[in-house]
Amino acid sequence: MDIPIKLTIMAVLWAGGFIVAKVISPQAGPFTITFLRFAAVTVFLGGIIYIQKDHPVFKPVHWGYALGAAILGVLSYNYFFMVGIRLVDAGRGSVIISTVPVAVAMFSHFFQREKISPLKAAAFIVSMVGACIVIGHGRWELIVGGQTGRGELYFVLCVLCAAAFALFSKAMLKDLSPMVTMAFVSGVGAAFSVIPAAVEIKSMPIPWGSFTFLSGLMYLAIGPSVIAVIFYYQAMNKIGAARASQYMNLIPVFAIILGMVFLGERVTASLLVGGGLVTLGLYLAHA
């Protein structure tokens, strides 16, 4: 399969995750879904690693990085995501989440002293302006006055957690393969979500009899978390990170389209304008 096709499938799978999460999030608690999803991810990736006979050597420092990545990128991110997706349209949430590269660049600049070119700085500003338009529904007074919706704020927290997760993962990738890193962090994250999930299940049991829930859960575990990740890292090895990451600009586009088709979501002017600016900014950042 050609790399462009794989990257397009990757974008569709990640976009579909917003739609599926919107559907199943009311059926179980956020920690419950997180535990089930990442326990399955750990099993799937662990099986692939075993078949490939990859024998990673874990250092003590890896456990520290995995702990930080799991708490922020698995436990916290998915809690905010699952709660936020109940309150915000999937398309709108995807546009906010697509600003993660901007947050990663800012974190890298301030905490790791990585330089940012004037073009990238301008691109990031364009993206953030677009995100603010989406978050405030085109009304700047809502943002200035701190009157944005709770759902949008949850997604902003998702962005911050994802950026921190990226930095922890980046440190691990110096010694471990992407697949081993993902499996390692997923396993630690699933372990940390056991107790809060057990508490949730007492008041909100797992709907084992719901085909929609189980199929949606398997989609989240296999589609965005396994197949999309594998395709992305394969593309990075072939065409480089910069070119591969440009396809991430398609995620909010596909999410908005899928939200219209499957959820009947309405596309507003603020979503189109803000989403367009975010996409333009991200494209310029990787130009």
Side-chain angles (χ1 to χ4, degrees), residues 90-114:
R92 185 173 298 277
S94 70
V95 173
I96 299 173
I97 292 295
S98 67
T99 62
V100 168
V102 177
V104 171
M106 294 297 102
F107 276 32
S108 299
H109 175 68
F110 288 112
F111 296 112
Q112 297 182 339
R113 302 300 180 186
E114 291 188 6

Side-chain angles (χ1 to χ4, degrees), residues 217-272:
L217 186 67
M218 285 298 98
Y219 176 89
L220 290 177
I222 300 175
S225 303
V226 176
I227 297 176
V229 170
I230 291 174
F231 282 179
Y232 179 61
Y233 284 115
Q234 286 178 346
M236 284 179 61
N237 289 333
K238 285 286 185 67
I239 64 175
R243 290 178 61 192
S245 61
Q246 286 184 349
Y247 280 79
M248 290 186 177
N249 299 337
L250 295 174
I251 296 174
V253 176
F254 285 134
I256 291 171
I257 294 173
L258 293 173
M260 291 173 55
V261 174
F262 293 104
L263 302 177
E265 293 182 350
R266 189 168 60 93
V267 179
T268 62
S270 63
L271 180 59
L272 287 176

